[in-house]
Amino acid sequence: MQEGNISIRVDKTLKERFCNLCSALGLSTTSAFTLFMKATLREKKIPFEIAVDENQEWREKAAKNFEDMRQSVTNAGIQDLSLDEINAEIKAARKERRIQEGLEAFRQMREIVASSGAMEPTLDEINQEIKAVRYAIR
């Protein structure tokens, strides 16, 4: 029998894993590919099911979103932040949001008081409200 060569390029890790499995099965990689080719010719089809990955579209969208986020971080110049710095940024943003929400609630309360004709709150009452807001946002 005259022999021929087939040369293919594959990921190095994939090749190593495949070679290790073939070895564990007592086969050489050449024997494994020969078995595959003979089964393909005998059955006139690929000897295992090849199907569309139903999650492929979702994975592609997720990968694109991740790349978009990575690019926006790079564009903003913050790609080198440590995890502690990122967490500090998040904590500061949340605290600022709570402060703004508290101030807005305080403004609304003053408007209600003013529109009701009630007396303006005293400085002590205002300070008590501010302390309550600060306590609530900790």
Side-chain angles (χ1 to χ4, degrees):
M1 164 175 72
Q2 193 173 18
E3 293 184 358
N5 289 324
I6 295 177
S7 178
I8 60 172
R9 293 187 188 275
V10 295
D11 177 77
K12 185 177 180 178
T13 303
L14 176 64
K15 177 188 175 226
E16 289 172 0
R17 291 178 62 204
F18 181 74
C19 289
N20 289 337
L21 176 62
C22 288
S23 178
L25 294 171
L27 296 169
S28 67
T29 53
T30 300
S31 298
F33 278 106
T34 301
L35 287 170
F36 168 75
M37 288 186 287
K38 286 181 178 181
T40 301
L41 292 172
R42 181 180 60 249
E43 298 177 26
K44 299 193 182 345
K45 67 176 189 168
I46 302 295
F48 48 83
E49 183 179 346
I50 298 176
V52 173
D53 182 354
E54 293 183 13
N55 292 319
Q56 184 64 27
E57 184 178 341
W58 177 86
R59 284 189 189 106
E60 288 171 1
K61 285 180 183 179
K64 183 184 181 321
N65 288 339
F66 180 78
E67 273 309 309
D68 290 347
M69 286 189 299
R70 177 181 279 171
Q71 190 60 48
S72 67
V73 166
T74 299
N75 292 344
I78 57 176
Q79 71 272 14
D80 295 328
L81 290 178
S82 70
L83 185 56
D84 289 339
E85 291 169 323
I86 291 169
N87 286 332
E89 290 281 333
I90 292 169
K91 186 176 181 180
R94 286 177 177 164
K95 184 174 183 179
E96 179 62 27
R97 186 186 72 230
R98 289 192 305 264
I99 288 170
Q100 293 304 319
E101 289 170 353
L103 289 173
E104 181 58 29
F106 183 71
R107 283 187 204 105
Q108 289 174 1
M109 181 190 73
R110 289 194 77 180
E111 287 176 18
I112 290 169
V113 168
S115 67
S116 70
M119 291 180 48
E120 286 285 319
T122 66
L123 188 55
D124 285 338
E125 291 170 330
I126 292 171
N127 284 332
Q128 286 176 348
E129 288 296 324
I130 291 171
K131 285 179 185 176
V133 168
R134 286 185 177 155
Y135 180 78
I137 62 174
R138 285 186 193 169

